[in-house]
Amino acid sequence: MMKHRKTGVEVDFVALSQKYRAEMAPLFQVIDNEIDGSGANNGELAAFTQYAMAFPNGFLALVDTFDTLRSGLLNFCAVAKALADLDYKAVGIRIDSGDLAYLSKQARQFFKTVANRFGLPWLANAKIVASNDLKEETIYALNEQNHQIDSFGVGTHLVTCQKQPALGCVYKLVEVDGHPRIKLSQDVAKLTMPGRKTIYRLSGGSGNEALIDLIQRVSEPPPEPGKRILCRHPFEESKRAYVLPTTVEALHVLYYQNGHVFHDRLPSMEDVRANVQRNLVNLRNDHMRRLNPTPYKVAVSPDLYDYVHDLWLANAPIGELS
């Protein structure tokens, strides 16, 4: 038994769901008879009704356990209608197997048909969630098929990046008691830039796009908008360019110092998300394309360039030929 949300009147929720399944079965071209194997699954309906009774405001059903089109969608819509009679709204469905684009389009069409036939206008826009080992390439492919999916459940490929399943992370000391430290290596990629530094994002152009990130020593004055700035490649002498930014944004923010965490400066998850979206909008399209994207440039100031190379030469051993 389940009570109406407002009046408190109890009804036999399971029987009500069974009644609506029988009425909806012709719309789904399904015979409401599981005995000969042609009907919607009764065990699935039982699970849906129990789930809906426990979470009437959060009913989002996994509909592919037996058969999405012949069982899952019908059972969901029947329970959704029963919930509506008790003044609740079902959230939607999740599809975890099969042709996700095709099934989502079929599900949306069934939702619209049931919504029109049973006077449930909100059901036409019920949420459709897709999962099943989704990754970036799969979602791009789905987007090309005009799917009706509202959200994607990304799990495995979010927790473990298949292209780089292990994060190589090494601590590099760059300063001790105000004295710079540098790691030398024949592999330039492993060479560290000594001393305390800060970093700025230089933006400009008609759309105020991000042009380049500039690393400086903390003792240097920050770059100024409207003033031409020389930016250099950290290790290749001939690669350099002048940049005339319209805006300059400091990217380095201190959150931890001497064992103290500045909690008042820590952004909320919503702030982090908004900041990521803003930065993505400011990137050029060629940086964002999936195939052969243009690498985003990170440069150093002339002062930091000279500082690094002077310290490099002062500490690098000199060979002897004989």
Side-chain angles (χ1 to χ4, degrees):
M1 302 296 289
M2 185 174 175
K3 293 181 179 181
H4 189 282
R5 188 176 71 89
K6 291 181 178 178
T7 65
V9 176
E10 286 191 338
V11 299
D12 187 336
F13 187 73
V14 174
L16 189 61
S17 298
Q18 291 173 329
K19 169 181 176 292
Y20 285 128
R21 187 176 74 170
E23 293 179 11
M24 293 178 182
L27 298 178
F28 290 80
Q29 297 181 331
V30 172
I31 300 173
D32 188 30
N33 175 19
E34 193 188 18
I35 297 176
D36 61 1
S38 62
N41 187 275
N42 287 331
E44 183 179 59
L45 179 63
F48 284 4
T49 55
Q50 293 304 307
Y51 179 17
M53 292 170 69
F55 303 99
N57 291 309
F59 179 55
L60 191 147
L62 178 66
V63 295
D64 69 319
T65 303
F66 297 96
D67 187 306
T68 300
L69 299 180
R70 294 175 54 196
S71 181
L73 286 174
L74 173 56
N75 282 330
F76 166 77
C77 289
V79 175
K81 170 57 177 166
L83 279 175
D85 283 4
L86 302 183
D87 200 36
Y88 293 102
K89 286 185 180 180
V91 176
I93 64 170
R94 179 166 72 94
I95 307 172
D96 192 50
S97 63
D99 187 330
L100 299 178
Y102 170 74
L103 292 175
S104 71
K105 288 186 280 189
Q106 291 294 106
R108 184 65 67 200
Q109 187 57 51
F110 279 131
F111 288 168
K112 292 179 180 178
T113 300
V114 173
N116 183 61
R117 170 67 177 78
F118 289 87
L120 303 171
W122 55 267
L123 184 61
N125 298 312
K127 299 299 181 182
I128 299 176
V129 180
S131 52
N132 187 26
D133 206 28
L134 295 181
K135 55 186 177 181
E136 186 179 9
E137 289 78 8
T138 309
I139 295 175
Y140 273 112
L142 287 169
N143 287 339
E144 294 172 353
Q145 300 176 62
N146 298 316
H147 64 77
Q148 290 294 308
I149 300 166
D150 294 292
S151 62
F152 297 102
V154 182
T156 303
H157 291 271
L158 181 64
V159 176
T160 303
C161 176
Q162 301 298 309
K163 294 180 180 179
Q164 188 174 340
L167 174 62
C169 189
V170 181
Y171 175 80
K172 303 288 187 180
L173 192 66
V174 296
E175 185 175 287
V176 177
D177 295 331
H179 299 290
R181 293 293 182 265
I182 185 171
K183 172 182 170 54
L184 300 179
S185 174
Q186 291 182 337
D187 184 354
V188 174
K190 294 185 176 181
L191 190 73
T192 60
M193 286 184 284
R196 294 177 59 203
K197 297 168 290 292
T198 189
I199 184 168
Y200 300 91
R201 177 154 297 162
L202 311 183
S203 303
S206 57
N208 198 37
E209 297 172 329
L211 302 174
I212 196 169
D213 288 354
L214 179 66
I215 305 174
Q216 295 188 168
R217 300 175 66 187
V218 292
S219 57
E220 296 183 68
E224 299 180 28
K227 288 191 177 181
R228 197 170 65 158
I229 303 161
L230 178 61
C231 299
R232 304 198 61 168
H233 188 283
F235 306 113
E236 297 186 29
E237 187 174 7
S238 62
K239 290 188 176 181
R240 51 189 178 171
Y242 281 106
V243 178
L244 185 64
T246 54
T247 61
V248 175
E249 178 186 4
L251 300 182
H252 183 263
V253 180
L254 188 64
Y255 294 113
Y256 180 86
Q257 186 179 36
N258 298 327
H260 176 69
V261 178
F262 299 100
H263 291 284
D264 57 319
R265 302 181 188 176
L266 293 175
S268 65
M269 291 297 293
E270 291 75 16
D271 292 335
V272 172
R273 181 174 183 270
N275 185 56
V276 169
Q277 291 178 326
R278 177 181 63 82
N279 285 321
L280 290 175
V281 169
N282 291 336
L283 287 175
R284 296 200 317 257
N285 290 332
D286 57 306
H287 292 310
M288 298 289 291
R289 65 190 177 209
R290 296 177 58 226
L291 184 62
N292 298 323
T294 302
Y296 183 75
K297 293 180 175 61
V298 179
V300 298
S301 66
D303 187 31
L304 180 56
Y305 177 89
D306 292 337
Y307 184 67
V308 171
H309 285 259
D310 288 345
L311 198 60
W312 186 3
L313 291 176
N315 288 274
I318 301 174
E320 180 177 330
L321 299 178
S322 59

